[in-house]
Amino acid sequence: MDVLVFGAGSLGSLVGGLLAREHEVTLVGREDHVTAVRESGLRLEDETGDAPLETPTTVRPAATTDGRHREADLAIVAVKAFDTGTAADALATGSFDAVLSLQNGLGNEALLASRLGGPTPVLAGTATYGALYRGPGRVACTGVGEIALGARDGGESPVADRIGAAFTAAGLETTVATDMPRRLWKKVAVNAGINAVTALTATSNGAVLEAPANDVARAATREAARVARACDVRLSNREAVAAMERVAETTAANASSMRRDLESDRRTEIDAINGAVVDRAAEEGLEAPTNRTLAALVRTWERGRNLR
């Protein structure tokens, strides 16, 4: 399979690098990273002890800074949610049999589909692999997880079946799912409870398991589950909170991606996570006060640093 990875940051580089062991892969990323990959390959490092790779290993995907006018069997979108429109516009100049979003938050797949148009199927995906960008040409696997992918509206998808088989052949733990809307909402509920709380308090993920942060995290997660149900997605408060606390426990020592964004003075994905919960709640005539407060605080931080 010929694969284009649009957004070769931490996750995009890890997934692209693992796929490159079996398939033809092109990474689209920043100039310093692209230059290093072209010159010396992409170094995959294992910080888990049980990652699906021999560590360290170097793969040699193609790499470019320009994702326009490309052709591939599959385009994987792994950019931050606020860059989805830019990615979609670039991909629209090329030709792909399918596009798969492996992004955080809500609304990415719909935006990609609206910009791409035509018959190209846009699939939804979630990834629970831990990945850290260690510098140009280097990415570390910090946690073995799973990629779930399928039709963005749910149901069977022969295209998803083919992509799932290709991912599995490359050694990636992969599930082809028929309930992607539910999986996307569940991930948003988990992130709504963990990311903003740990970012604003500069704490590790495990902080949300203890008072006083636990009350805030659980409230944000329950609100997300309630909005999901209003959007015809079956996700109970109990299941959502249990998932949030399970992720917080298994990643207790880790820093959330949003915390790392704040520490690096980067724009966050707050609009696609807590902000998206608030927006969907308003559409359904509901309130999401905890998510509204968390979103307002992070957005205020972003505006104070001229990131918005």
Side-chain angles (χ1 to χ4, degrees), residues 19 36 96 136 186:
L19 288 172
F96 307 95
K186 188 175 180 179

Side-chain angles (χ1 to χ4, degrees), residues 80 82 261 265-269 271 301-302 307-308:
K80 295 284 192 178
F82 51 79
D261 288 338
D265 281 342
R266 296 191 299 253
R267 185 177 176 183
T268 74
E269 295 183 292
D271 293 347
W301 177 89
E302 291 179 338
L307 299 172
R308 297 187 69 83

Side-chain angles (χ1 to χ4, degrees), residues 5-128:
V5 180
F6 199 108
S10 54
L11 180 65
S13 292
L14 179 62
V15 172
L18 294 174
L19 288 172
R21 299 178 303 176
E22 182 73 20
H23 304 289
E24 296 295 322
V25 173
T26 299
L27 303 179
V28 181
R30 296 186 299 270
E31 185 172 0
D32 58 347
H33 189 46
V34 165
T35 298
V37 172
R38 285 175 172 174
E39 293 178 351
S40 304
L42 175 64
R43 182 180 174 91
L44 303 175
E45 301 174 358
D46 173 20
E47 297 185 3
T48 69
D50 58 354
L53 51 91
E54 296 178 1
T55 303
T57 188
T58 299
V59 293
R60 295 188 174 274
T64 181
T65 59
D66 188 357
R68 297 173 299 170
H69 306 293
R70 300 283 167 175
E71 294 185 4
D73 300 315
L74 172 67
I76 298 173
V77 181
V79 299
K80 295 284 192 178
F82 51 79
D83 281 332
T84 302
T86 300
D89 290 342
L91 293 174
T93 66
S95 176
F96 307 95
D97 292 343
V99 174
L100 168 66
S101 169
L102 289 181
Q103 300 169 270
N104 286 327
L106 298 173
N108 297 302
E109 298 80 12
L111 179 55
L112 287 167
S114 68
R115 296 286 183 92
L116 291 173
T120 304
V122 176
L123 304 177
T126 61
T128 57

